Amino acid sequence: MKNIVVLTGAGVSAESGIKTFRDDNGLWEGHDVMEVASPQGWENNQELVLDFYNKRRRQLKEVEPNLAHNALVELEEKFHVEIITQNVDDLHERAGSSNVTHLHGELFKAQSTFDPDLVMDWKDDINKGDFCEHNHQLRPHVVWFGEQVPMLEVAVELVEKADLVIIIGTSMQVYPAASLMHYAPENSPIYFIDPKPTVNSSERLEIIAKKASTGVAELVEKLLAKS
C-alpha cells in the first residue's frame, strides 16, 4: 500500500473551534445560504457577502490545527498522502500536510470577478473597491452554490489511484464531493470517521463512529503499525 487519499469536511476543523457555517435551521450565521454563498447573492449585496467571509477569515486567524490534522501529517512518514478537503481553511497546511487539494476554494485567497483564474493570496478583509489588475472587484476565492468545482477532476484522478481512502467529518451528502468515494478502486478499503455516520458499513467500508481527533489518531496508529 502506497497511496492514501483522505477526504475531509467540516468535522475535522470543528474541534479547532471553527464554526460550521450551517445552523440546525439551515441558516448560515443567520443568513439564508443563497444570500451569502451564491452568484445571485453576490449580485444582490456584495457588501453583505464580503462581510460574511471577512468574519470567517478573521476567525481562521485565531484557531490552530487540532489532533486530527496533526495525526494525518504522521501518515506521510510511511505513505504518499493526498488530502482532498471541502474546507476553505488552511489548517491541513498549517499542520504540515504536503499535498492538499481544496475543492471549495480557500479563505486566505481572493479572486477577480473579471477573470476567475486570477487568484491571489489575501489574508485580510476584502472590501468594496479592492480591485484586481484589470480594475474589477475582488471576491472570496470560494466555490458558491451553482458554480463549477474546478478542482473536481483533479480530485477524481487522485481517488482513482488510492490504495486506501479515509473519509473524515463529512456527511457525504453534498454533491459533487459526495461522489468522490465511488471512484476508489474496488479493492481499496474505505474508512469513514464521524461521530454520527450517515453511511452503512460494508465489506470494504469500515465505520469509526468517533470524533475526528480520536478516530483519526486511532486509525493512523493502526496503519503505521501495519506498515
Side-chain angles (χ1 to χ4, degrees):
M1 184 172 65
K2 296 178 181 177
N3 295 315
I4 294 180
V5 173
V6 185
L7 309 177
T8 69
V12 81
S13 294
E15 291 177 68
S16 290
I18 290 197
K19 296 176 185 172
T20 54
F21 285 7
R22 195 178 304 219
D23 302 323
D24 290 339
N25 58 10
L27 297 179
W28 284 21
E29 298 288 305
H31 300 291
D32 179 278
V33 62
M34 301 309 283
E35 289 180 342
V36 292
S38 73
Q40 295 80 8
W42 173 252
E43 290 297 322
N44 292 337
N45 194 336
Q46 291 186 9
E47 289 182 349
L48 173 68
V49 175
L50 290 174
D51 179 63
F52 178 83
Y53 290 97
N54 287 341
K55 288 175 179 173
R56 310 279 77 71
R57 203 174 294 109
R58 288 176 215 147
Q59 187 202 15
L60 181 51
K61 294 177 183 178
E62 298 171 356
V63 301
E64 299 292 338
N66 61 55
L67 293 173
H69 297 104
N70 295 333
L72 290 174
V73 179
E74 293 177 32
L75 277 179
E76 294 191 26
E77 295 172 12
K78 297 284 182 71
F79 307 103
H80 178 79
V81 180
E82 294 280 355
I83 294 176
I84 302 167
T85 186
Q86 298 174 61
N87 299 334
V88 293
D89 62 61
D90 67 338
L91 296 181
H92 284 301
E93 288 92 338
R94 272 197 259 166
S97 287
S98 304
N99 309 300
V100 184
T101 299
H102 285 267
L103 280 181
H104 296 157
E106 299 177 61
L107 266 181
F108 282 153
K109 291 186 177 179
Q111 73 183 56
S112 166
T113 51
F114 173 74
D115 178 5
D117 292 327
L118 182 55
V119 177
M120 60 207 76
D121 292 332
W122 200 279
K123 292 284 182 79
D124 298 314
D125 288 1
I126 302 175
N127 298 305
K128 286 289 291 287
D130 286 333
F131 290 162
C132 71
E133 61 197 53
H134 303 289
N135 292 317
H136 286 262
Q137 176 66 41
L138 294 176
R139 55 160 274 186
H141 181 53
V142 174
V143 177
W144 288 330
F145 288 96
E147 292 185 321
Q148 295 293 318
V149 181
M151 297 304 292
L152 187 63
E153 287 186 18
V154 173
V156 167
E157 290 178 7
L158 292 173
V159 176
E160 286 176 337
K161 298 173 185 173
D163 297 313
L164 182 146
V165 176
I166 306 171
I167 302 169
I168 310 165
T170 172
S171 65
M172 297 307 287
Q173 305 293 309
V174 178
Y175 285 84
S179 65
L180 283 174
M181 63 183 284
H182 303 301
Y183 289 95
E186 285 185 18
N187 58 345
S188 298
I190 299 172
Y191 291 89
F192 190 98
I193 303 171
D194 195 274
K196 297 178 180 176
T198 53
V199 297
N200 297 316
S201 58
S202 65
E203 190 174 325
R204 68 181 298 211
L205 192 151
E206 180 177 331
I207 292 174
I208 302 173
K210 297 182 178 180
K211 64 181 183 179
S213 59
T214 307
V216 175
E218 288 181 7
L219 178 58
V220 166
E221 185 178 352
K222 175 180 167 182
L223 294 174
L224 290 176
K226 275 185 177 179
S227 64

